Amino acid sequence: SMLYCYGEKGSKFQGIYDADKRRRVLKGISIVDAGDIETFSSDQNLTLEMIMQEMGKVYTSSKVAVIAGGDHSISYGAIKQLDDECDVIHFDAHTDYMDSENDSYCAHGTVMNKVSQLGHVRRIVHCGVRGLLNSEKSIGSALKNGDIMITAEDVHKRGTGILQDYLVKDVNLYVTFDIDALDPSIAPGPGTPEPGGLSYQQMRDMLSMVGQTKRLKAVDVVEVNPLFDQTTNTAQHAVRLLIDLLGEHFWT
């Protein structure tokens, strides 16, 4: 992410110039680092409480909350604390709809199943689903629950505009972006990579659509594991796509 701080040290932030769009994005926008949220690997319920407590403060004081995390399970606490009725846009190679053996525990493979049970979540739109790690039962459960399923192949064949049909103008949005939605050739750093993923340009186009809705409440980017990618390409794509989404949201 330090690549995108070039030339800004010691001077007031003037936004970032996007050569493709011929404009400076995020100019005049205040970006505040609220610090890290403490996590407890031996006590997930305590971690959940900490996430909800801290995100409550962030939601109160910001127009759009940004969460950069590790395990996808953190999304549950952030979405649960949001409380406002919302749609969840879930970019991921997997539905994360596995059944939980423990009702009080939320793992990265069960997180969207848990999220779907929250009263203020209207529906979930899954985008980028592919590969051999999605069970028939998980996908069936998501569809039965009224979720929308857009596979990576759908995007490759029908184009990124397929997402536009499911963005409701007057509904709040929470975007959760598992980095494994991207193809591992450009983002080899998630824990469960799958071939056939989305390109940077496809993700940029779809996040731009999301940004234009004006009802974006929060976005998280998860499953970036630097230990799996010494090239840092995974982290760079994560940061760049966050800039693209926020730049579009605050421009239009």
Side-chain angles (χ1 to χ4, degrees):
S1 62
M2 293 300 292
L3 287 170
Y4 302 117
C5 295
Y6 182 78
E8 303 294 344
K9 185 177 180 181
S11 61
K12 186 177 179 181
F13 180 65
Q14 295 294 325
I16 302 171
Y17 184 71
D18 186 332
D20 295 312
K21 296 193 174 183
R22 304 287 180 87
R23 70 190 190 200
R24 189 171 284 269
V25 298
L26 299 179
K27 185 176 182 180
I29 302 300
S30 297
I31 301 174
V32 177
D33 184 351
D36 295 335
I37 298 176
E38 190 172 3
T39 60
F40 304 88
S41 58
S42 61
D43 190 338
Q44 196 199 41
N45 287 330
L46 182 55
T47 297
L48 175 62
E49 290 176 14
M50 293 296 294
I51 292 172
M52 293 179 64
Q53 177 180 320
E54 294 302 314
M55 289 310 302
K57 300 175 186 176
V58 173
Y59 290 144
T60 300
S61 58
S62 65
K63 290 185 177 179
V64 178
V66 178
I67 305 103
D71 189 87
H72 206 161
S73 61
I74 67 169
S75 301
Y76 178 66
I79 296 171
K80 186 175 183 179
Q81 185 63 33
L82 184 59
D83 205 33
D84 295 333
E85 184 181 60
C86 67
D87 282 0
V88 174
I89 311 298
H90 175 220
F91 293 102
D92 202 320
H94 315 100
T95 61
D96 293 344
Y97 237 83
M98 294 171 61
D99 289 330
S100 175
E101 297 179 358
N102 185 341
D103 290 339
S104 65
Y105 184 77
C106 179
H108 67 88
T110 67
V111 61
M112 287 300 116
N113 194 342
K114 293 282 190 182
V115 166
S116 72
Q117 299 169 33
L118 296 173
H120 62 283
V121 173
R122 208 177 66 98
R123 72 175 178 182
I124 303 173
V125 178
H126 307 269
C127 186
V129 176
R130 65 187 189 279
L132 305 178
L133 297 178
N134 290 287
S135 72
E136 184 178 7
K137 181 180 179 181
S138 293
I139 290 181
S141 296
L143 293 174
K144 185 177 180 180
N145 193 52
D147 293 7
I148 303 299
M149 196 73 59
I150 303 173
T151 66
E153 189 168 339
D154 289 334
V155 177
H156 296 325
K157 290 183 175 181
R158 297 171 58 186
T160 56
I162 188 174
L163 179 63
Q164 189 71 61
D165 296 338
Y166 304 107
L167 299 177
V168 181
K169 185 177 181 181
D170 297 323
V171 175
N172 296 323
L173 293 181
Y174 183 106
V175 176
T176 177
F177 175 28
D178 186 325
I179 201 68
D180 70 18
L182 296 176
D183 191 77
S185 63
I186 60 171
T192 50
E194 282 279 5
L198 304 174
S199 69
Y200 161 74
Q201 192 62 53
Q202 288 171 322
M203 276 302 312
R204 175 174 175 154
D205 288 349
M206 288 188 287
L207 289 174
S208 292
M209 294 176 201
V210 172
Q212 291 169 10
T213 64
K214 288 304 178 186
R215 297 299 294 267
L216 179 65
K217 289 293 185 178
V219 54
D220 69 49
V221 177
V222 294
E223 299 290 337
V224 176
N225 190 335
L227 296 177
F228 292 166
D229 180 13
Q230 294 182 357
T231 69
T232 73
N233 285 341
T234 307
Q236 183 185 3
H237 277 90
V239 172
R240 175 60 199 272
L241 287 165
L242 274 175
I243 293 172
D244 291 334
L245 171 58
L246 297 174
E248 191 68 31
H249 180 70
F250 288 109
W251 176 267
T252 54

